[in-house]
Amino acid sequence: MASLRGIQQPELSKKLFKIIKSENHAIGSYETAGRERISIASQLSDWGEATGDDSISDISDKLGVLLSELGEQEDVFAQNLEDYRGVLKQIRNTESSVQPSRDHKTKIADELQKLKYKEPQSPKLVQLEQELVRAEAQNLVAEAQLTNITRQKLKQAYDMHFAATIERAEKQMILARHGRRLLNLLDDTPIVPGDARPAFDHADHARQILNDAEEDLRGWTSNLEPISSAAGDMGPSLMPSSTGTGVPSSVGAPEPPAHGIAPNEIPPSQLISGEDQYHQTPQHFQPEKRDASGSTAVEHPPYTGSEAGGTMLNYH
């Protein structure tokens, strides 16, 4: 069915349709990677307990907590990419709306040329020439709408993409640094046969490292320079609001949609009003997991439980 939709896409929107479809597969891969990471974290904890070594059991359990949170961050990243993908769809939908206008203009131009060749004195020539002028004017409006929405939404989409990438990377760095702190608590001094390992006396320190990791995630905030935009005055017709009354009648006129893009052909949710300043985009695409500070860490009490439970992710 998906391949059939691709075949039915207008020529103008086929390339972007493929990009959006490919991004869907990539997002699914990130979601799968997140689930696998969480599963591996659980396996690591189970293995550590099975070794019978208290030190390894404690450290592996807490490493599992951090690895599990890395998996959660993959899911958050996938959510953000889905939002970015939704913005690309707005460009694709506009391209699909412009294609009939192009086709209509081309069709009239072809008919006119054929008639000039076959019947140079035909009275229909004047009529076709007038229709061609109207079609060209209507297409001019449609093309302006397309370039306006394409430039604005391209900047918005990849601002979201890169902001999400930076957020994921910075939170991965936080978790990785605290993971390395945990490794320093494991004594790997070689022993000779018959010697016993000293008892593990860093349980409190290891627990504090998890608390520090959770606190750092909760305190994370985005610190990005805003992407500049001059598209804030675009009106519902996808044209500058200052020229609202000067737009040719093809926009919103009671004519076939093939002659232009009527504003209602694009859902209101996909239009950017003059009040929706583009530089505020990062606030719009934050996933539901974000708290007031901008962090995507799940709200849990500090780590005070045993190695098998009570972690910042309720990890078992």
Side-chain angles (χ1 to χ4, degrees), residues 17-90:
F17 175 85
K18 290 181 180 179
I19 292 175
I20 293 170
K21 183 178 179 181
S22 297
E23 283 289 4
N24 190 44
H25 294 318
I27 291 170
S29 298
Y30 285 118
E31 292 173 339
T32 300
R35 290 192 296 269
E36 291 294 333
R37 179 58 58 199
I38 293 173
S39 175
I40 292 170
S42 179
Q43 295 174 45
L44 177 62
S45 178
D46 292 342
W47 167 80
E49 184 178 3
T51 63
D53 186 320
D54 291 341
S55 299
I56 292 178
S57 177
D58 191 285
I59 295 299
S60 64
D61 186 69
K62 291 176 175 59
L63 287 175
V65 173
L66 297 179
L67 292 175
S68 183
E69 179 62 19
L70 283 171
E72 293 289 343
Q73 293 303 320
E74 291 297 300
D75 186 61
V76 172
F77 182 59
Q79 292 177 34
N80 287 337
L81 289 186
E82 190 62 51
D83 293 335
Y84 134 83
R85 183 170 167 265
V87 177
L88 291 182
K89 289 181 179 180
Q90 297 177 39

Side-chain angles (χ1 to χ4, degrees), residues 255-273:
E255 296 183 4
H259 293 176
I261 305 175
N264 59 5
E265 290 181 357
I266 300 178
S269 61
Q270 296 180 0
L271 298 173
I272 300 297
S273 68

